[in-house]
C-alpha cells in the first residue's frame, strides 16, 4: 500500500526534474544514459526493501521521465549539429576538483594521448616536404655554404664562422659533425642529408613538446592545444624553414617565445631544461634577440626570480652573439618606410593566413600596383592595414597582460623587425609576393595564430566567435597549401645520384635543392679573398661568402615573373 502511494509521488517530480535538466544550455538535448542510473538510485533510496516492487516502480518512474521530457524537449537538432556539439564538449570537458587548470595540456590529456599527439605533430612536420625524405637533400646555403666550408676548412674555423652577419651555431655544428662522420667512415655520404634533416627535426619538434608539457590556462582546452600544434605544423607559405639545419634558428626562437608565454614550471628539472633553448637560440640567429626586451619587461612586471633567471640566460647568449660575432651585412638593413611596412605586414600576417597564399598573391599584386603608382589608393590600403593592427592590439589589451597579450606582442614585434630591417635586399615586387623570403613568415604568423587561440580561450560572446572564425580560417589556409609547396621546395635532384657521379669524379659539383645550388666537395682547398659585391669574377669557390653576396646583389634587382610581364600596369 505504501509503495503504491509513494511511487507516483516520486516519479512525477523526478520526471519534471529531468525534463528541466535536459533543457539546460550546457547539456545535450537528448537524455543521456546517466539519467537512467540517477533514476534507479533515487528509486532504491525511496524503496530500500522489496526488490521486485522496486524494479516495477523504477519502470513506471522511467516511463514518466521519458514522457515528461518528450513533452518539453526543444526541437530536434541535425546529426551534424549534434556531432559538433559532442566535439565541443570533448574539448571543453570540465576538470575534476583536484586538477589545476593552469597545468595546461597535462590537465586535459592523459600521457598516452599526449604521446599520440606528439607523434602526429612529428608526422605532419615530415609531410611538409615529403620528397626530401625520399630522395635526401641539402637546402640551398646549407649544402653550398655550410657543408662545403666544413669540408674544406679546419673544425675550429668552420664551427665559429659567421655568415650573413651573424653566427649560426646550429648550422655550423651540424654540418661539421656530418663532415667528420663521413670522413671517419661512420656515415655514408649518401646518407649525410638524412643526418642533418633528422637533427633539424629534433629541434623543430621542441615547440610541440613545450605546448604539450607546458603550463598555462590558455592551454586548458583540448582544442586549443590541438589548434596550436596545427598552426605550427601547417603555417602557410613557410616550407623553407623545415627539414634543414640552416633555419632551426626560427624554431629555437619560437621556443624562446613560448617559454616567455608559458608559466614557470614547478619541477626543477623542467626549469633547467627551459634554459637550454634560451642560451642556444641567440647563438643561432638574431630572431631570439628581438624577444629579449619583452623578456625583460615581463620579468619587471611579474617580479618573479625564475623569470628573471630566464631573462639573464637569454641576455648572456644575446651578448655573446652581438659582441663577439655580429657584424653589419652589406645586403641587410634596408629600412622600409612605415606605410610600406604596414601594408607588407598586413598582406603576410593577415591576408595570407586568412585567405590562403595563392589568393594572397593576387592581393599582393594589387598592393604592388598601388605602391608603384602612389596616390590615394596607396594611402587607402595603408589605412586599412593600420586599422586592422590597431583593432588587434586593442583586442589583446582588453584582458591585461595575459598569454594573448604576450603572443600578439611577440608576433608583431618580430614581424616589424624582420620585414622592416632584417630582410635581404630585394625588389619591391618581392615584398608583396608571399612566397618570397618565406622564412620571415614563420615566426610572426605562428605567434599571431596562437595569440588568436589564447584570445578565444579568454574572451566570450562576440569576441570569442570572431576569434574562432579567424582560427578556422588560419587552419584552412594552411591546409590548402600543405601538400603543394612552392616550386623551389617541391622537388630537386636526387642526392644519391649526385654522389654516384661524384665518386667517379671528385671535381663534380653535387646539385642540391633548389636546383641552381651546388656543393663543392672536391679535393682542392682554395682560399676566400675579400668581399666582391659586383660579380663572381674573383674565382673564389662557391662556399666563400663573397660569391653568395654577389648572387644576392644580383637577385635583388630581379622582379617577380608577374611584375616583369606587367610593367605597363605600374605607370
Amino acid at each position: 500500500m505504501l509503495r503504491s502511494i509513494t511511487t507516483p509521488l516520486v516519479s512525477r517530480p523526478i520526471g519534471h526534474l529531468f525534463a528541466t535538466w535536459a533543457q539546460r544550455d550546457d547539456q545535450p538535448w537528448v537524455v543521456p544514459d546517466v539519467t537512467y542510473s540517477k533514476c534507479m538510485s533515487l528509486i532504491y533510496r525511496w524503496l530500500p526493501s522489496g526488490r521486485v516492487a522496486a524494479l516495477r516502480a523504477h519502470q513506471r518512474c522511467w516511463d514518466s521521465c521519458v514522457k515528461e521530457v518528450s513533452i518539453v524537449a526543444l526541437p530536434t537538432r541535425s546529426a551534424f549539429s549534434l556531432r559538433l556539439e559532442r566535439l565541443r564538449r570533448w574539448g571543453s570537458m570540465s576538470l575534476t576538483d583536484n586538477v589545476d587548470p593552469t597545468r595546461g595540456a597535462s590537465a586535459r590529456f592523459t600521457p598516452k594521448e599526449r604521446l599520440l599527439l606528439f607523434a602526429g605533430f612529428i608526422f605532419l612536420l615530415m609531410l611538409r616536404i615529403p620528397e626530401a625524405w625520399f630522395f635526401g637533400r641539402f637546402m640551398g646555403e646549407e649544402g653550398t655554404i655550410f657543408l662545403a666550408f666544413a669540408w674544406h676548412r679546419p673544425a675550429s674555423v668552420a664551427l665559429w664562422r659567421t655568415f650573413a652577419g651573424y653566427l649560426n651555431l646550429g648550422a655550423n655544428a651540424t654540418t661539421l659533425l656530418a663532415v667528420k662522420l663521413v670522413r671517419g667512415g661512420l656515415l655514408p655520404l649518401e646518407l649525410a642529408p638524412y643526418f642533418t634533416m633528422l637533427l633539424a627535426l629534433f629541434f623543430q619538434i621542441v615547440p610541440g613538446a613545450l605546448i604539450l608539457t607546458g603550463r598555462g590556462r590558455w592551454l586548458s582546452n583540448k582544442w586549443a592545444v590541438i589548434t596550436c600544434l596545427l598552426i605550427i605544423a601547417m603555417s602557410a607559405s613557410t616550407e623553407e624553414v623545415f627539414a634543414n639545419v640552416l633555419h632551426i634558428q626560427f624554431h629555437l626562437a619560437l621556443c624562446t617565445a613560448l617559454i616567455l608565454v608559458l608559466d614557470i614550471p614547478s619541477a626543477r628539472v623542467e626549469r633547467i631544461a627551459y634554459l637550454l633553448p634560451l642560451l642556444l637560440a641567440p647563438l643561432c640567429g638574431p630572431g631570439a634577440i628581438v624577444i629579449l626586451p619583452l623578456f625583460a619587461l615581463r620579468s619587471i612586471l611579474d617580479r618573479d626570480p625564475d623569470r628573471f633567471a630566464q631573462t639573464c640566460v637569454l641576455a648572456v647568449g644575446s651578448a655573446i652573439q652581438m659582441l663577439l660575432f655580429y657584424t653589419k651585412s652589406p645586403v641587410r638593413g634596408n629600412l622600409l618606410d612605415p606605410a610600406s611596412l604596414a601594408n607588407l605586414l598586413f598582406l603576410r600576417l593577415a591576408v595570407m593566413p586568412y585567405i590562403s597564399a595563392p589568393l594572397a598573391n593576387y592581393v599582393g599584386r594589387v598592393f604592388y600596383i598601388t605602391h608603384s603608382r602612389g596616390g590615394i589608393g596607396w594611402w587607402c590600403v595603408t589605412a586599412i592595414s593600420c586599422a586592422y593592427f590597431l583593432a588587434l592590439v586593442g583586442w589583446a589589451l582588453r584582458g591585461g597582460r595575459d598569454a594573448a597579450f604576450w603572443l600578439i606582442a611577440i608576433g608583431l614585434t618580430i614581424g616589424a623587425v624582420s620585414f622592416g630591417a632584417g630582410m635581404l635586399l630585394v625588389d619591391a615586387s618581392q615584398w608583396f609576393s608571399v612566397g618570397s623570403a618565406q622564412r620571415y613568415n614563420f615566426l610572426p604568423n605562428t605567434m599571431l595564430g596562437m595569440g588568436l587561440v589564447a584570445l578565444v580561450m579568454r574572451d566570450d560572446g562576440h569576441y570569442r566567435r570572431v576569434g574562432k572564425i579567424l582560427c578556422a580560417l588560419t587552419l584552412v589556409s594552411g591546409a590548402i597549401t600543405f601538400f603543394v609547396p612552392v616550386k623551389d621546395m617541391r622537388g630537386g635532384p636526387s642526392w644519391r645520384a649526385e654522389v654516384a657521379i661524384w665518386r667517379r669524379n671528385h671535381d663534380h659539383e653535387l646539385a642540391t635543392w633548389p636546383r641552381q645550388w651546388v656543393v663543392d666537395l672536391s679535393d682542392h682547398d682554395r682560399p676566400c679573398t675579400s668581399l666582391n659585391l659586383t660579380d663572381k669574377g674573383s674565382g673564389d669557390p662557391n662556399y666563400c661568402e663573397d660569391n653568395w653576396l654577389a648572387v644576392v646583389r644580383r637577385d635583388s634587382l630581379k622582379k617577380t615573373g608577374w611584375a616583369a610581364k606587367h610593367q605597363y600596369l605600374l605607370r
Side-chain angles (χ1 to χ4, degrees):
M1 182 67 179
L2 178 61
R3 291 168 183 162
S4 63
I5 295 175
T6 56
T7 298
L9 292 177
V10 174
S11 62
R12 187 162 295 278
I14 292 176
H16 284 288
L17 175 64
F18 288 136
T20 305
W21 175 83
Q23 297 180 74
R24 289 172 54 187
D25 292 336
D26 59 343
Q27 301 293 346
W29 307 128
V30 294
V31 180
D33 293 339
V34 70
T35 57
Y36 188 86
S37 59
K38 287 181 179 179
C39 191
M40 282 192 64
S41 62
L42 287 173
I43 290 297
Y44 279 108
R45 186 181 303 173
W46 279 81
L47 300 174
S49 62
R51 196 161 185 78
V52 176
L55 290 174
R56 289 177 179 173
H58 164 263
Q59 182 64 43
R60 288 193 296 270
C61 176
W62 180 249
D63 294 340
S64 177
C65 292
V66 174
K67 181 178 179 181
E68 295 291 341
V69 171
S70 64
I71 294 174
V72 299
L74 294 177
T76 305
R77 300 170 67 180
S78 65
F80 179 74
S81 299
L82 290 175
R83 291 191 184 97
L84 289 179
E85 182 70 16
R86 293 191 189 101
L87 290 175
R88 186 188 69 80
R89 293 182 185 284
W90 177 81
S92 59
M93 190 181 301
S94 60
L95 300 170
T96 58
D97 294 336
N98 59 346
V99 176
D100 182 6
T102 61
R103 283 175 50 191
S106 62
R108 290 295 185 183
F109 295 100
T110 64
K112 183 178 179 180
E113 290 174 336
R114 283 190 290 163
L115 185 61
L116 290 175
L117 284 176
F118 192 51
F121 177 72
I122 296 173
F123 183 65
L124 285 177
L125 293 184
M126 297 178 69
L127 281 181
R128 287 304 300 255
I129 312 178
E131 288 195 17
W133 295 97
F134 284 108
F135 301 107
R137 68 104 195 237
F138 289 103
M139 174 63 195
E141 294 95 332
E142 180 188 22
T144 301
I145 304 294
F146 288 88
L147 182 74
F149 192 86
W151 186 272
H152 293 283
R153 294 293 186 267
S156 58
V157 177
L159 182 62
W160 303 108
R161 178 209 192 185
T162 59
F163 176 75
Y166 61 89
L167 170 70
N168 190 339
L169 185 59
N172 287 348
T174 305
T175 51
L176 177 61
L177 181 58
V179 167
K180 293 299 181 183
L181 292 175
V182 170
R183 289 190 179 276
L186 300 177
L187 177 69
L189 184 58
E190 290 83 353
L191 300 181
Y194 293 102
F195 176 77
T196 58
M197 290 165 63
L198 286 173
L199 282 180
L201 182 64
F202 171 78
F203 289 100
Q204 290 161 7
I205 65 178
V206 176
L210 288 173
I211 289 175
L212 289 171
T213 61
R215 299 172 61 91
R217 190 175 292 273
W218 62 288
L219 295 173
S220 61
N221 181 286
K222 291 183 177 181
W223 289 117
V225 174
I226 295 174
T227 302
C228 288
L229 294 176
L230 291 176
I231 286 174
I232 296 174
M234 299 173 57
S235 53
S237 194
T238 56
E239 297 88 2
E240 188 179 357
V241 302
F242 293 98
N244 66 84
V245 295
L246 180 65
H247 294 134
I248 61 174
Q249 55 176 300
F250 296 98
H251 298 272
L252 287 170
L254 177 58
C255 294
T256 302
L258 287 173
I259 291 172
L260 170 62
V261 176
L262 293 170
D263 297 342
I264 300 294
S266 56
R268 183 179 180 182
V269 175
E270 293 180 3
R271 291 198 299 270
I272 295 175
Y274 274 28
L275 301 180
L276 298 179
L278 294 178
L279 180 62
L280 183 59
L283 297 177
C284 294
I289 301 176
V290 177
I291 309 175
L292 179 59
L294 296 176
F295 251 101
L297 177 61
R298 182 158 193 186
S299 298
I300 295 172
L301 296 175
D302 292 355
R303 299 181 180 180
D304 189 326
D306 292 317
R307 187 72 69 184
F308 181 73
Q310 292 178 349
T311 304
C312 290
V313 172
L314 180 60
V316 169
S318 302
I320 294 173
Q321 175 74 268
M322 298 300 294
L323 298 178
L324 300 181
F325 299 101
Y326 187 82
T327 57
K328 180 176 174 57
S329 175
V331 293
R332 294 187 191 273
N334 182 32
L335 299 178
L336 296 185
D337 61 277
S340 298
L341 178 59
N343 294 334
L344 186 154
L345 292 177
F346 180 67
L347 175 68
R348 293 187 180 241
L349 307 186
V351 177
M352 183 186 69
Y354 301 151
I355 69 172
S356 79
L359 293 179
N361 275 327
Y362 289 105
V363 179
R365 293 169 185 174
V366 176
F367 281 23
Y368 176 57
I369 292 173
T370 56
H371 171 268
S372 301
R373 292 180 175 178
I376 189 65
W378 177 245
W379 293 111
C380 287
V381 172
T382 304
I384 296 173
S385 303
C386 293
Y388 170 79
F389 288 116
L390 288 175
L392 183 62
V393 171
W395 188 5
L397 291 174
R398 289 182 71 249
R401 299 186 304 271
D402 60 351
F405 167 79
W406 294 112
L407 287 166
I408 291 176
I410 294 170
L412 294 179
T413 301
I414 291 180
V417 174
S418 298
F419 291 109
M423 192 165 54
L424 294 176
L425 293 173
V426 291
D427 183 76
S429 62
Q430 298 189 41
W431 299 349
F432 304 107
S433 174
V434 298
S436 176
Q438 287 187 345
R439 55 194 177 276
Y440 302 118
N441 297 336
F442 178 71
L443 267 176
N445 273 324
T446 52
M447 298 311 299
L448 292 179
M450 289 188 287
L452 291 174
V453 174
L455 288 173
V456 170
M457 289 294 296
R458 183 190 73 186
D459 293 324
D460 53 10
H462 175 69
Y463 289 96
R464 186 182 182 89
R465 287 191 292 271
V466 171
K468 287 183 177 180
I469 293 173
L470 295 181
C471 287
L473 290 176
T474 301
L475 294 180
V476 172
S477 174
I480 289 174
T481 57
F482 184 78
F483 294 104
V484 189
V486 294
K487 185 178 180 181
D488 289 342
M489 309 294 168
R490 197 174 304 166
S494 171
W495 179 257
R496 290 177 181 270
E498 292 294 318
V499 171
I501 301 174
W502 174 85
R503 292 197 181 278
R504 297 191 295 269
N505 177 17
H506 283 193
D507 290 332
H508 170 72
E509 294 183 331
L510 296 86
T512 185
W513 296 22
R515 194 172 293 274
Q516 68 268 23
W517 294 86
V518 293
V519 183
D520 180 4
L521 300 182
S522 64
D523 299 328
H524 313 290
D525 297 340
R526 292 179 289 168
C528 297
T529 59
S530 59
L531 297 182
N532 183 351
L533 300 180
T534 58
D535 54 45
K536 292 186 65 174
S538 63
D540 283 358
N542 292 331
Y543 51 81
C544 294
E545 189 173 359
D546 64 333
N547 280 336
W548 177 81
L549 289 171
V551 171
V552 172
R553 176 61 65 89
R554 183 191 65 206
D555 292 345
S556 66
L557 303 176
K558 293 182 179 179
K559 297 181 180 295
T560 61
W562 180 89
K565 293 178 181 179
H566 298 82
Q567 287 292 318
Y568 64 92
L569 294 175
L570 309 181
R571 301 187 185 97

